[in-house]
Amino acid sequence: MKKAPTIRDVAATAGVSVSVVSRVLNPDSGPVAPAKRQDVLRVIDELGYRPRAAARELSAGHALTIGLVVTDLSNPFFARLADRIVWEARSHGVQVVLMTTQEDPHLEADSLDTLLDRSVSGVIATPTGGNIEKWARLQDLGVNVVFVDRTIEELADVDVVSIENFDSARRSTEYLIGLGHTRIALVTGPRQTSTGRARINGYRAAHEEASLAVDPLLIRDVPFRGDSGGDAVGSLLAMPQPPTALIVANTAQVQSSVRRLVQVGIRIPDELSVIVFDDNPWTELMSPPLSVIRQPLDMLAVHSLELVLGRMQGKLPDGPRFIEVKADFLARNSCAPLAQTAIH
Amino acid sequence: MKKAPTIRDVAATAGVSVSVVSRVLNPDSGPVAPAKRQDVLRVIDELGYRPRAAARELSAGHALTIGLVVTDLSNPFFARLADRIVWEARSHGVQVVLMTTQEDPHLEADSLDTLLDRSVSGVIATPTGGNIEKWARLQDLGVNVVFVDRTIEELADVDVVSIENFDSARRSTEYLIGLGHTRIALVTGPRQTSTGRARINGYRAAHEEASLAVDPLLIRDVPFRGDSGGDAVGSLLAMPQPPTALIVANTAQVQSSVRRLVQVGIRIPDELSVIVFDDNPWTELMSPPLSVIRQPLDMLAVHSLELVLGRMQGKLPDGPRFIEVKADFLARNSCAPLAQTAIH
DNA sequence: TACAAAAGTGGAACCGGTTCCACTCCGGAT
DNA sequence: ATCCGGAGTGGAACCGGTTCCACTTTTGTA
């Protein structure tokens, strides 16, 4: 176990000062004679020298690192998002420190502290909804924060990237109404979040357009956490007058909701038409393949990274940015006209 | 945007020297009078002081960080593994820097360089198979390396955590033979990897036990990368005398293999009995629910982290450790007796 | 009461980079 | 010939922690 060479080793071997080596390492930081530059580069290569990130960070006061704070990697949505973000970040020479919160504000608070210690220059997160002061403090210390998929309204000056919530919910609802359904259930995130609200509003808008009344009991805004999606589905199916169609409008609830549907053995679409907000590979492998709102993960990843990096380089105007990307509705075979639905 | 307090701010405010603050921060590094300790702690709290990780790393020469190098987070196996590792690492106060390789040795090489720059004290990885010298160099520089799920045989002194490859393959094969199948296909990782070989051997062993001949054409050791699993499945089904049962024995190939099966519309288990090495939630949601070898992700995560952390603290004996954890076979409904299989 | 051992403290070097600044060249303009 | 400005260079301070060591104050014990 030998130890790695430092910049002073390189300088000594090349017969120059550390300043010169540093300038070779960081072009544009000062002039270096072409001949010496070659010498230094050769020595760097020979010695296998690599600058220590910690030293650079200490001196610079901040790291070329971003924090990625998601709730849970076992949710394919976040996993794929993380995959894309890591990929995209790498191509910009930025590392990603990963933290998961399990939807727990305490764990989230811990994560934020840790990211602060690491002097990350940016954070991409799906916030739990708590820790408002912590998020504010982070921003106050110059960390660029971008929220994906959700947001916290109390927080000014945060960039947000999400899908067109209102529109996606409206279109899926319209589609089901078009099939003749009038009792359409909606499982979505908490009404306190802007995304939850936007989706509910889209759902309502579609009803109004069609002059249909909305049964408030069919709207279930449930916590992201745990099995709340499944429980909502269970209770919806147990209603005296159960829905004939269901929209699961939040990635966090899709897995448990669909599991519940399979467990109770309800026939899709014969007994219930289903649309989920998700683009997981397995939605296509089920029988029947589920109709989905396809969340454009690439776009979400690219935009959130663009925002973080743009802020890091000070290349963006000052106000907070709110980016909504279009989500496609993909009809597969989990929805049937009401006429064919066997009311039980 | 104000700037964060440093240890000297704390020292000045508390009216002590930086040494004292440092000793308060790191118990056991030296004595501090109880009264002063209280003072310092109070000031730290008032100022909201947090030690900068970079400074600590620079001084210590290594970081309380481990690198996690997986191929692809869109594979639920790795995603869930990552989730568990991040979770487990956090509980030990260790951060995780995430890198993905997409099975590309070049990207892997990049990742290793980056981790070196970061002075990580450990790496948990599913290696692509290349970069042997790079891995060796990493170890040589004192980085503790643990491989999960796969390994590189040329590399001495690496800890490895995986499931009981031989046994898992043998048991699944035995199960299918027990159902009367004699033409059982095996899709697994490259024969060059020890895991690929072990699984093939397990498959062979089950055949020998039952005095069954092995048709080498039914064994497909394919690359981890891309759609090779699906292609193997396609070509197996196109054989003049196609298999009546299929074992997909590597997580990297499960997704594409199953997708192909669904695409060609083969009926499971009527036309083909299927077992996959995976423990994804969706295997249960398919119809029929797939019989699986359940990889104990928790155990894989816990053991690999234990190894890395143990090495970091020098608490482990010198030789490399090879940990195999038991994987359960979970029979669901994707396998049928040969008698009921419709040979086409 | 004396005196060694232990507890407590602060100064300063150090980790490995970056950056500011002073200084030496050199060519070109006056 | 003289001056100016910029290219090229190295010395040294600095980033924010840790740690060694010298020093002072307690404490315990003979």
Side-chain angles (χ1 to χ4, degrees), chain A residues 33 70 85 111 186-187 196 222 241 283 307:
Chain A
V70 295
I85 286 177
S111 303
L186 178 71
V187 173
V222 299
Q241 206 186 340
T283 53
L307 283 176

Side-chain angles (χ1 to χ4, degrees), chain B residues 157-170:
Chain B
D157 278 349
V158 181
D159 294 319
V160 179
V161 180
S162 98
I163 62 164
E164 290 179 358
N165 295 297
F166 179 88
D167 198 55
S168 308
R170 183 172 60 179

Side-chain angles (χ1 to χ4, degrees), chain A residues 15-63:
Chain A
V16 298
S17 71
V18 289
S19 318
V20 171
V21 180
S22 179
R23 282 195 292 267
V24 170
L25 254 29
N26 312 53
D28 304 335
S29 67
V32 179
K36 291 212 173 183
R37 154 165 281 118
Q38 289 313 315
D39 285 355
V40 171
L41 286 174
R42 188 175 40 73
V43 171
I44 286 179
D45 193 50
E46 280 171 18
L47 264 50
Y49 166 75
R50 313 219 81 221
R52 230 71 83 244
R56 193 171 267 177
E57 283 168 25
L58 182 55
S59 182
H62 63 93

Side-chain angles (χ1 to χ4, degrees), chain A residues 286-344:
Chain A
M286 293 188 61
S287 50
L290 299 183
S291 298
V292 299
I293 288 285
R294 168 167 284 170
Q295 307 226 38
L297 277 166
D298 285 14
M299 289 296 101
L300 293 177
V302 168
H303 278 124
S304 41
L305 213 70
E306 228 167 43
L307 283 176
V308 167
L309 296 179
R311 297 271 179 219
M312 277 165 63
Q313 298 157 3
K315 288 194 174 170
L316 257 41
D318 253 9
R321 289 273 284 269
F322 179 48
I323 298 184
E324 278 199 314
V325 298
K326 203 164 169 346
D328 292 328
F329 174 65
L330 199 63
R332 292 203 274 239
N333 302 310
S334 61
C335 299
L338 180 64
Q340 295 172 20
T341 303
I343 311 268
H344 38 184

Side-chain angles (χ1 to χ4, degrees), chain B residues 70 98 172 242 278 288:
Chain B
V70 296
L98 178 65
S172 358
D278 220 336

